[in-house]
Amino acid sequence: MIDDRDRKILDLLQLDCSIPVTELADRVALSVSACSRRIQKLEESGYIARRIAVLDRERIGVPTTVYALVKTAHHADDWIEEFRRAVVDIAEIVEAHRLTGHYDYILKIVLPRVEHYDVVYRRLVKRVELFDVSAAISMETLKSGSALPVDYLR
């Protein structure tokens, strides 16, 4: 059963997973050993999927974001799997979602500059046939992050 301390632990780890267990334990009013056991339990039960380092996109050299909206005339399982493999193999495509509505997929692509989008586009269409691709360039990031709300945990 998830309680308020577990929620607080998850919330704090999302902000900085390198926080020392001693500091984390202090912030959630637990002993170090009890806090450590709770973290282990949260990992084992799948609430913590993995711990990662979030890189600075400017320093890494990919400050530009392009969203590609994709339409396809193909919906067979083999085409979808081929599309999935193509998307996974292109490192600049950092997110891909299947959609409802007018477009079938949206791809979040990070690039060194806008002009590099054509390189990624050509690599993608060389691998899979697409009906239509429309791209939108992000002008400004208003909110970015991977932290999830923990208030819904029961």
Side-chain angles (χ1 to χ4, degrees):
M1 189 71 167
I2 299 294
D3 64 16
D4 287 341
R5 283 192 174 131
D6 290 328
R7 285 185 193 86
K8 184 69 172 171
I9 289 169
L10 290 170
D11 211 23
L12 292 168
L13 286 174
Q14 283 189 102
L15 298 176
D16 182 5
C17 70
S18 69
I19 185 173
V21 176
T22 52
E23 183 181 336
L24 187 58
D26 186 51
R27 293 182 65 182
V28 297
L30 286 171
S31 70
V32 172
S33 59
C35 185
S36 185
R37 282 191 303 273
R38 281 182 183 242
I39 293 169
Q40 184 177 3
K41 182 181 159 196
L42 290 166
E43 287 176 327
E44 289 170 356
S45 59
Y47 289 100
I48 299 173
R50 65 178 193 234
R51 298 188 196 195
I52 62 168
V54 178
L55 306 180
D56 183 292
R57 288 183 43 195
E58 291 281 338
R59 287 184 174 248
I60 296 299
V62 287
T64 304
T65 304
V66 172
Y67 291 93
L69 294 159
V70 177
K71 285 185 193 179
T72 180
H74 305 282
H75 298 281
D77 289 345
D78 59 335
W79 183 92
I80 293 170
E81 189 53 38
E82 187 178 344
F83 179 71
R84 183 185 318 274
R85 281 193 307 270
V87 166
V88 167
D89 288 346
I90 299 172
E92 292 89 346
I93 300 174
V94 295
E95 288 186 33
H97 302 270
R98 191 165 57 92
L99 305 174
T100 62
H102 193 64
Y103 290 95
D104 297 306
Y105 299 92
I106 187 169
L107 309 176
K108 180 179 179 183
I109 305 168
V110 296
L111 305 165
R113 59 190 186 290
V114 171
E115 294 81 9
H116 192 77
Y117 170 70
D118 190 50
V119 173
V120 174
Y121 171 81
R122 288 174 186 265
R123 285 196 332 232
L124 182 61
V125 298
K126 206 179 273 189
R127 301 267 313 262
V128 290
E129 182 182 346
L130 303 175
F131 178 73
D132 182 43
V133 179
S134 178
I137 301 163
S138 172
M139 301 295 289
E140 177 184 13
T141 301
L142 303 176
K143 181 178 181 179
S144 177
S146 59
L148 301 174
V150 297
D151 299 338
Y152 299 98
L153 285 171
R154 299 277 176 236

